Amino acid sequence: MTEEINYKKKGLDLEAGSSRRDYPEDEDDGAGPFDIVRTKSAPVHRLRRWRQAALVLNASRRFRYTLDLKKEEERRQLVAKIRTHAQVIRAAVLFQEAGKGLPGAVTSTLPSSPTRSVDFGISSEELVAISKEHDLSLLQRNGGVKGLAEKLKSNQDNGVSGDESDLIKRKNAFGSNTYPRKKGRSFWRFVWDACRDTTLIILMVAATASLVLGIKTEGIKEGWYDGGSIALAVFIVIVFTAVSDYKQSLQFQNLNEEKENIQMEVIRGGRRTKISIFEIVVGDVLPLKIGDQVPADGLVISGHSLSVDESSMTGESKIVHKDPVRSPFLMSGCKIADGYGTMLVTSVGINTEWGLLMASISEDNGEETPLQVRLNGVATFIGMVGLGVALVVLIVLVARFFTGHTKDPDGTVQFRAGKTKIGDAIDGFVKIFTVAVTIVVVAVPEGLPLAVTLTLAYSMRKMMADKALVRRLSACETMGSATTICSDKTGTLTLNEMTVVEVSACGKKIDPPDNKLLLPSKVISLLIEGIAQNTTGSVFVPEAGGAPELSGSPTEKAILQWGVNLGMDFLSVRSDSVIIHAFPFNSEKKRGGVAIRVSDSEVHVHWKGAAEIVLACCTNYIDTDDHVVPLDEDELSSYKKAIEDMAAGSLRCVAIAYRPYDAKSVPSTAEELENWQLPESDLILLAIVGIKDPCRPGVKDAVQLCTDAGVKVRMVTGDNLQTAKAIALECGILGSNADATEPNIIEGKAFRTLTETQRLEIADKISVMGRSSPNDKLLLVQALRKRGHVVAVTGDGTNDAPALHEADIGLAMGIQGTEVAKESSDIIILDDNFSSVVKVVRWGRSVYANIQKFIQFQLTVNVAALIINVVAAVSAGNVPLNAVQLLWVNLIMDTLGALALATEPPTDHLMRRAPVGRREPLITNIMWRNLIIQALYQVTVLLILNFRGRDILNLQNDNKDHAFRVNNTLIFNAFVFCQVFNEFNARKPDEVNVFKGVTKNRLFMGIVGLEVVLQLVIIFFLGKFATTVRLSWKLWLVSIAIGSISWPLAAIGKLIPVPETPLGESFSKKFRRQRDSDDG
């Protein structure tokens, strides 16, 4: 704990470990193969390099959850083929269009034998031909979009009825919006993968040889034990490994299905409801807005500035404009780049290009995480040492055996040249070889990199309950290193439950806001017209009566509700006028507008957006007498003061304005209209509304928790700077008004005008950025990352995608976030709540902490087992821990140990530490201290027992063979209990109380209980297999006492201070100093 506090006090950069430096992600040639701090955009050659450098005994298991580079290349080629197919179709259609007036031009024909459903006037084949081939002539022959909707028994405005029976008929006739998925791996596939471990294969071969030789020399009754026991031990290891891996894969499978289950709005029976994209049927009418993913093939019913990004299907990053007449075709999987509209679904599932693509590549192709790569490096280093040790043991034991220095417990020499039978000699060699191979099994920690996957799978499942859906595994652990969070205001720090609480219109405050008596009739009429037409939301009034149902963004819903309170009949108002052009709300311009034709000679242009921006475009306002009067300086100042007062009260300020426009000046052709810029000057101000969006309960505590954890929270919002300041003070992002000065609080415009050097200088100081555009957010993220920060960013809009992608961790909002934002993100916050973001930080730290616990535990076992066997082999010619015993220890260490320690839930203690540096050593000085103390204790005690055990245990009078077996059984039993007790120590590497919260972790307690029970079974019932004998109760107490001493020893050890500088860094500094002095 002292170490973490000191880090915090000194304010050291945790990305660098001890100093603030910028490490570009693309540094490769200078770095080691396992030094990849960011796998998010790592080049393929870097990923291939670490795979080649890793020491691997079972590639199919070790690389199961990493990116399959070969499959990824195959996937890219497959996508390219399908894209080419789509391009060929379009090229053919264009060729047909070009050849339409030429003699002999080929016209589109219907499919040869369409099988029409009795319930609908068109077949699935015809619909597929229309959508896949973009066939306008075939569409026209079916009556256009309107005629097609009628044949599908759908209404362009109200959609399908939504009855269960109708939906079933549609699915039967046209298919469902799902695609065939490749089946997950069966349990037997995991068994097969576990069997492919090189060392286990060698052990099985050795077991077979031992079995054959044993039966030949001793007969089947006694001779099968040696070989059979190794084979049984290997079988148990394989089963445990396969079961653990299989359960893990099921967790990932469930999470992948959750990721693909996108929720979309659909109009059924005139009502907008949210459903899963898998439930969409042919005939459905879907509202589309910027950032949405097109969930099925279909046709544009209506659209305003509707543009689509078809790059996911064509590979070309070209934005295509869509309209109901010239270009009505929408392809599944594409994104709405701009505008809004409605579509009619014509093809679903496998009948779409996207469905074909997803069916072909649906198998998850894995992804490595930085921690996984680093652990492969650790495993490789340990494995190399283990191989060296195993080789030494093999050479020493073989040399001793064949030179006649190896004796049985009774003193008989095992090998005499020229006298010992060849079968006995081979059997002796096989036993020695088996021990050496088993040392490799224990020494090479195959389970170490896989422990990351285990803890990530566990964490991801638990994070789902905490309202966070992990899209990229690496983000889960990177969040533990986050030093700053750039958060949106609306919906993340606030509740997103908006209400109009203040209105300023006609030069005065309207109190209450929906008091119609204070507003002249003309203003009410124009306000209602603007609210109803200039919106992407809707109002549905149930036939049975009751409160109107509002849909749209929270801001839209608040303004629509205000309109309803003023007497707005949404459908009636919309039918009284026609939208001729729209400028959808733009986060850069902070406003949206619409031009509507109210009569043959009259057009109204309505604008709505950020109050001060729209106000700057106004030159007039309507007074209380319904007269349009100039907006003089006094009135302008009055409105500006109203905006400031609203903002100071933490209200979101929106201005509504309009202007009449001469219908003759409106472009007459479709092309001119498409490029027409809506008039945005000389506007007449109608009203300024203040919308209240209260802070989320508990958000102040969550911000404080982040601050205590060394994570700075910054608010980046498109709202007025005064509104942002008020909310920041309420949330605790700003401590007091004294903090609300530049550069702590800054406007996006001011930040973007700075030079890059100036941005780098002030980025650290920024706490609040108001009136920011998505590009300002991106510039801030880039500046913070260059300053050495690990940056997490929240975002919900399409334009947030670059910032989400650039950040170390992109967090998209699950409720308000667009599909484009979600696809660019690493984690989706399902409830849009900042408190859930903080929970993700806790889990990220927990992942790292759990891996460190497991490393400490595993290395202690590694070091102790290797030293005990090497020293015993070199000095006495035999090893106290045989092959079967070592395999059991390996099972405790790898599979069961990982399950117990890698699934520890996060604690509050984690949030009282500084963020984890992504370049800090995995094995900290605290871990080295704990490891050395425990390993030294275990080695000392067990070697004393190995050499002096017979004397200590008073076994001098016993039969030598029996005394030898009792002594070795005690060593084995004590060694296992040392690991069982040390598992508790590993839970809390830097805390004295290792039992805190242990009873809450049922899995940990269950695994420890299972290990003890299995140990009892081995000693009492499997003596023949494990080469053990039953121990007296006194020796059981001795075993438990030896193991339990590790608890007080660990507590005393934690009082020993450790240096702050990591050991590796200290050694490298000493080495450099020594080299420099030698050079000097």
Side-chain angles (χ1 to χ4, degrees), residues 289-292 796-798 812-813 816-823:
K289 61 183 183 301
I290 185 169
D292 282 348
D796 53 14
T798 303
M813 298 297 107
Q816 289 304 314
T818 62
E819 282 310 312
V820 172
K822 288 175 188 175
E823 280 207 0

Side-chain angles (χ1 to χ4, degrees), residues 489 491-497 693-697:
K489 175 187 78 72
T492 309
L493 296 167
T494 61
L495 277 170
N496 226 358
E497 292 173 1
D693 184 15
C695 266
R696 284 185 180 273

Side-chain angles (χ1 to χ4, degrees), residues 1042-1057:
I1042 290 170
S1044 64
I1045 289 170
S1046 68
W1047 284 348
L1049 196 65
I1052 294 164
K1054 283 166 188 172
L1055 301 175
I1056 301 170

